Amino acid sequence: MTAQKTAPAAASGPAAPAILPPGVSASDFAGAIREFITILGAENVLTDADHLAPYTKVMVAESEDLHRPAAVIMARTVEQVQKIMAVCNRVRVPIWPISTGRNFGYGSAAPQSAGQVILDLRHMNRILEVDPVMCTALVEPGVTYQQLKDYLVENNIPLWLSCPAPSAIAGPLGNTVDRGVGYTPYGEHFMMQCGMEVVLADGQVLRTGMGGVQNTNAWQVFKWGYGPYLDGIFTQSNYGVVTKMGMWLMPQPPVYKPFSIRYEKDEDIHDIVETLRPLRIAGVIPNAMVFANVMWEAAAIMPRSKYYQGTGTTPDHVLEEIKAKEGIGAWNVYAALYGTKEQVEVNWNIITGAIKASGKGRIITEEEAGETEPFKYRAKLMRGDMTLQEFGLYRWRGGGGSMWFAPVTVAKGSETRDQTELAKKILGEFGLDYVAEYIVGMRDMHHIIDVLFDRSNPEEMERAHACFAKLLSEFGKRGYAVYRVNTGFMEQTADLYGPVKRHVDQALKRALDPNGIIAPGKSGIRI
């Protein structure tokens, strides 16, 4: 159902919204707004166009009108969230919770469909606890990575974060709940999550794991609790509003040794995976390895116009020029070692021996790289330091359009051949560049392709949308499905996982949120 137009604005109070939630009358929504003001205060209830504009902006290849919110409300306490749920259930107002709203590659703060009310939790930004002995933290949704990093530094707590890129303005709760990843040995963020507090649609407050036990001291140290493990159903879903999250932090190692390996040929990607995967599985390389192609590296540090001002796909001869002049390989591997001097030395010898035996690749140490980019910002990421460097990707073609396409497969070289060839073919059909990196986790491999386009160019935006749809479809036919997706393609992605999965998702939704008020359409889930 499409969002409805409103009646003219009232003479006093907040301006009438430009649109209404689907199925909600103007008078009923006006009543809900008055109740929100009573709960939150007028300064925390936004309905006029100027205040809604920042929440409407999207980077995906769709009109902002498709994601325009009816209002924004800002809560500061769990009790306020509970009261908001009561209003939404009674009036049937759909609500789209966000933490910091900085999920740029997957859609930003805007809701999945127009007419939803954004529940902005940025003011719930307390660091509730950091235990330097058990290496744990308990945070609210609005806490940013930079805020938590500053807290650790100011209090001289020798613990490291694992953060995404870019990271400073994003938050650990939102990133983890969307199952994001980082670049340290703690980079599988949901694996390092321990305990949640969730406000359910009916206003009840659930504490998962050990959190329901009175006087427990184990909420942030033992994930499972008793009975069915529930934390997972509140990730990438719309079953509740997560208001607190526990997380494990990494002890600062005595020695940190970042390094890069530069490969000169596109076809080397097969041997890169085959050489390094065994070292990752064995734990010799303890963090997720990144294999970034020349365009990803170049896009992060400069606009395409520095070397090419034409249209369509960047020609191969331009890429060769970039490689030669900027010191970038066709593929650029980033990883690091952590531990005592003795541990690092042993593992370094294993790695250098494997590279030498493979006959390919040139290892670059931190001492050799110095202050050069992109090595510098990659090294920061792998120790959990803040960086906004990858925002440079959005300058590559100009216009700020970006959609991350992220299919998952096994970490085998044969997979890279097939996926790289398919991705280049599809992107080339639409005149878009193959800006990509592979990330090898425990045994999985994420193929991250940033579909970059000019949002100020309607024709290019239309091509980008069609390109992304084809990527999903053609990769899906071959058994490759994405692990996250932007708000414009949640339905198509959900279909790739089959009808039984969709049925179970819907059954859980109907049981926990029978009125469908929380984030309808999130991950393709509705009542």
Side-chain angles (χ1 to χ4, degrees):
M1 184 182 295
T2 57
Q4 306 167 34
K5 295 294 182 182
T6 66
S12 61
I19 57 175
L20 290 170
V24 178
S25 70
S27 59
D28 284 348
F29 191 58
I33 292 294
R34 287 193 294 270
E35 292 192 71
F36 292 148
I37 291 172
T38 299
I39 297 166
L40 304 170
E43 69 278 10
N44 293 311
V45 179
L46 313 177
T47 58
D48 64 278
D50 288 344
H51 285 114
L52 297 186
Y55 297 88
T56 301
K57 294 183 182 301
V58 293
M59 299 175 73
V60 300
E62 289 189 327
S63 167
E64 292 178 352
D65 289 340
L66 296 175
H67 302 277
R68 193 171 300 279
V72 174
I73 58 178
M74 294 180 282
R76 297 173 183 269
T77 68
V78 172
E79 292 74 21
Q80 287 178 341
V81 176
Q82 290 178 283
K83 292 176 182 178
I84 288 165
M85 291 299 166
V87 176
C88 291
N89 267 300
R90 186 171 63 256
V91 188
R92 302 294 193 269
V93 171
I95 199 154
W96 183 266
I98 63 171
S99 51
T100 64
R102 307 295 185 176
N103 194 5
F104 292 119
Y106 298 103
S108 73
Q112 194 273 338
S113 58
Q116 299 191 43
V117 172
I118 292 177
L119 174 57
D120 187 341
L121 302 176
R122 72 173 69 182
H123 296 304
M124 294 181 67
N125 60 357
R126 294 179 299 164
I127 299 169
L128 297 165
E129 181 183 16
V130 173
D131 187 331
V133 176
M134 300 311 300
C135 307
T136 64
L138 181 66
V139 299
E140 290 186 325
V143 172
T144 65
Y145 282 105
Q146 185 68 63
Q147 180 186 350
L148 186 53
K149 173 76 174 180
D150 290 345
Y151 179 91
L152 297 175
V153 172
E154 290 165 6
N155 290 278
N156 198 29
I157 300 174
L159 297 175
W160 280 10
L161 304 179
S162 175
C163 54
S167 51
I169 57 178
L173 189 149
N175 179 267
T176 301
V177 168
D178 206 40
R179 296 207 292 274
V181 295
Y183 301 89
T184 75
Y186 279 41
E188 188 63 67
H189 291 167
F190 181 57
M191 188 180 295
M192 301 302 168
Q193 173 271 334
C194 191
M196 290 180 180
E197 178 185 85
V198 185
V199 178
L200 302 176
D202 64 2
Q204 292 188 90
V205 177
L206 168 70
R207 290 192 168 186
T208 65
M210 299 298 293
V213 179
Q214 191 172 4
N215 299 322
T216 185
N217 64 2
W219 192 19
Q220 270 69 70
V221 298
F222 183 61
K223 293 169 69 76
W224 317 117
Y226 175 74
Y229 177 69
L230 299 177
D231 297 54
I233 69 169
F234 297 108
T235 65
Q236 291 191 3
S237 76
N238 50 14
Y239 302 147
V241 179
V242 182
T243 50
K244 294 181 180 66
M245 185 190 76
M247 55 191 294
W248 295 341
L249 305 179
M250 176 181 165
Q252 179 178 322
V255 176
Y256 166 64
K257 187 179 182 67
F259 63 94
S260 174
I261 313 170
R262 186 178 299 164
Y263 291 83
E264 297 304 325
K265 298 179 180 179
D266 288 343
E267 57 267 28
D268 288 342
I269 187 62
H270 173 276
D271 292 344
I272 295 171
V273 177
E274 291 303 309
T275 299
L276 297 177
R277 180 196 61 245
L279 304 182
R280 176 71 178 111
I281 291 177
V284 174
I285 296 176
N287 66 323
M289 300 179 295
V290 174
F291 314 150
N293 80 342
V294 57
M295 265 193 279
W296 188 290
E297 296 294 83
I301 60 176
M302 63 188 177
R304 187 171 75 150
S305 58
K306 180 177 178 180
Y307 285 93
Y308 181 65
Q309 299 186 27
T311 59
T313 304
T314 304
D316 288 343
H317 71 86
V318 174
L319 298 181
E320 291 301 318
E321 184 182 5
I322 292 172
K323 287 163 59 179
K325 292 184 177 179
E326 301 291 340
I328 297 172
W331 292 99
N332 306 272
V333 175
Y334 296 95
L337 298 178
Y338 311 76
T340 65
K341 179 181 177 181
E342 294 78 11
Q343 288 172 321
V344 168
E345 184 176 350
V346 168
N347 288 334
W348 183 245
N349 289 334
I350 295 172
I351 293 166
T352 54
I355 299 303
K356 183 177 180 180
S358 74
K360 294 182 178 180
R362 183 170 78 86
I363 294 180
I364 300 168
T365 64
E366 187 173 28
E367 292 75 18
E368 181 181 353
E371 293 295 304
T372 60
E373 296 288 10
F375 188 101
K376 183 179 176 181
Y377 91 83
R378 293 286 188 179
K380 291 179 69 174
L381 278 178
M382 292 187 291
R383 65 172 179 256
D385 282 353
M386 303 300 104
T387 171
L388 297 176
Q389 183 67 46
E390 282 197 3
F391 276 131
L393 290 168
Y394 309 141
R395 299 192 307 262
W396 180 245
R397 295 183 75 98
S402 171
M403 298 182 291
W404 286 28
F405 177 71
V408 179
T409 185
V410 296
K412 292 183 177 180
S414 57
E415 297 294 304
T416 63
R417 287 175 176 169
D418 296 342
Q419 287 206 14
T420 300
E421 181 180 343
L422 180 60
K424 283 185 174 180
K425 178 177 180 293
I426 294 172
L427 287 157
E429 289 175 12
F430 295 91
L432 300 173
D433 287 325
Y434 176 62
V435 181
E437 62 182 7
Y438 286 95
I439 302 177
V440 174
M442 297 293 189
R443 286 159 176 79
D444 59 281
M445 184 165 63
H446 293 51
H447 186 186
I448 312 297
I449 302 167
D450 199 347
V451 181
L452 298 170
F453 59 98
D454 184 352
R455 275 190 56 83
S456 67
N457 183 334
E459 186 275 334
E460 187 164 313
M461 194 161 78
E462 185 177 338
R463 278 192 284 117
H465 190 280
C467 178
F468 199 95
K470 187 166 184 177
L471 285 167
L472 277 174
S473 175
E474 293 302 315
F475 272 70
K477 290 175 183 177
R478 295 160 175 80
Y480 304 130
V482 298
Y483 83 111
R484 298 165 79 186
V485 78
N486 67 71
T487 48
F489 289 91
M490 287 182 170
E491 286 289 338
Q492 184 178 345
T493 299
D495 284 339
L496 293 175
Y497 285 83
V500 175
K501 171 69 161 57
R502 298 210 71 171
H503 171 75
V504 172
D505 288 345
Q506 186 181 55
L508 288 169
K509 180 66 170 174
R510 288 173 173 173
L512 293 173
D513 183 12
N515 292 323
I517 62 167
I518 302 176
K522 171 72 174 177
S523 297
I525 304 169
R526 293 180 174 82
I527 56 172

